[in-house]
Amino acid sequence: MTKTLPPGQIETKKWPILHEGDVYQFDEETWRFKLFGEVEQEVTLTYKEVMALPKVVNTVDMHCVTTCSKFDTTFEGIPFRELMKLVNLKPNVRYVRIYGYLNGDPFGYSANLPLEALQGDDALFVYRWKDAENDWQDISPKHGYPLRFIPPAQFYLWKGSKWASGIEFMTENNPGYWEVRGYHMNGNPFKEERFADRNNLPSGYGGADEWKDL
Ligand SMILES: Nc1nc2c(c(=O)[nH]1)N[C@H]1C(S)=C(S)[C@@H](COP(=O)(O)O)O[C@H]1N2
Ligand SMILES: [Mo]
């Protein structure tokens, strides 16, 4: 089956590594996952509590804003909707920010997403993967171990927070880490929604060679 690349993208067979700051080193004693924001009651989960939730296996395409696309990576993970079930949302919640570690701060990285797009098997907090060339294995620390969000393919991969630490439920579409720095609020690769302003690229954007094979 031939797949269509989104405009301006190039296929890669490898799974490159790209992020800001340090690689988080997992410590089960201190690791927590928090559900907060416009909820009736906040919930904080331990690693064991998260891993006891229902799991699914799903195969997705990943599109990085720096122009690399990787087709057909299979992930095992916990659906976003299973975590969402653990809180009662206040009225008019339509958006979330999914958080991840940045230089030791559990909430240093984030990306905003619309809630309605995250209800399927393609919105997963993953911990295991395989592809055509690699057998089942844990997500490496550099890819976000112990838990990493992979967004549906209609979002660029910056929406996939590594070292995931929580979900903030919101009534407003508040921007995340890169969206504050000029990346597009929606980030649909098929519409080439890379940056808020195409003629004014955000500082810190390194272009195609930024998504290195490390
Ligand atoms: N916590 C955290 N998650 C992050 C980032 C980051 O800097 N910190 N970078 C994002 C960006 S811009 C991309 S393209 C993807 C890259 O994921 P990969 O290295 O697994 O390919 O992670 C995303 N998730
Ligand atoms: Mo990225």
Side-chain angles (χ1 to χ4, degrees):
M1 192 180 86
T2 317
K3 292 213 190 195
T4 311
L5 280 166
Q9 295 292 110
I10 301 157
E11 188 181 357
T12 175
K13 298 278 182 200
K14 292 187 187 160
W15 184 8
I17 293 162
L18 181 66
H19 55 259
E20 301 272 290
D22 302 335
V23 173
Y24 166 69
Q25 300 298 325
F26 178 45
D27 173 8
E28 194 180 329
E29 288 296 305
T30 55
W31 188 94
R32 294 291 181 273
F33 194 92
K34 205 171 151 187
L35 305 167
F36 63 107
E38 299 295 317
V39 295
E40 278 173 18
Q41 195 144 26
E42 283 186 11
V43 172
T44 302
L45 301 165
T46 64
Y47 179 69
K48 285 197 174 65
E49 287 168 334
V50 170
M51 295 307 281
L53 293 169
K55 289 153 182 156
V56 306
V57 170
N58 193 53
T59 301
V60 296
D61 301 334
M62 295 187 280
H63 307 296
C64 183
V65 70
T66 59
T67 72
C68 288
S69 287
K70 182 180 186 305
F71 290 133
D72 291 332
T73 308
T74 301
F75 289 103
E76 183 180 309
I78 296 145
F80 175 94
R81 62 171 183 267
E82 295 296 339
L83 285 149
M84 193 177 126
K85 278 182 196 164
L86 305 178
V87 285
N88 289 319
L89 301 184
K90 290 189 179 166
N92 303 317
V93 171
R94 306 241 190 287
Y95 303 94
V96 293
R97 271 189 294 218
I98 298 179
Y99 286 82
Y101 276 80
L102 177 70
N103 288 332
D105 175 1
F107 299 100
Y109 188 85
S110 65
N112 58 311
L113 285 155
L115 195 58
E116 64 169 15
L118 306 180
Q119 303 305 313
D121 284 355
D122 57 353
L124 293 184
F125 288 90
V126 307
Y127 47 86
R128 257 159 69 75
W129 70 287
K130 68 167 182 174
D131 65 11
E133 287 155 25
N134 299 276
D135 205 350
W136 278 114
Q137 57 195 277
D138 285 348
I139 299 288
S140 69
K142 285 178 180 177
H143 282 303
Y145 192 81
L147 199 64
R148 189 257 166 87
F149 187 65
I150 296 286
Q154 75 265 29
F155 299 100
Y156 283 114
L157 196 58
W158 88 76
K159 302 282 186 182
S161 298
K162 303 189 193 186
W163 315 294
S165 58
I167 304 167
E168 178 188 12
F169 294 89
M170 313 186 293
T171 53
E172 307 287 322
N173 193 12
N174 297 316
Y177 181 87
W178 281 117
E179 294 82 5
V180 168
R181 290 164 176 79
Y183 282 51
H184 201 284
M185 287 293 276
N186 303 327
N188 183 333
F190 300 94
K191 298 180 184 167
E192 250 196 303
E193 293 171 337
R194 297 176 195 273
F195 309 110
D197 178 357
R198 278 166 200 261
N199 302 316
N200 187 10
L201 294 189
S203 63
Y205 174 65
D209 58 6
E210 198 176 283
W211 214 31
K212 294 185 203 88
D213 295 329
L214 295 180

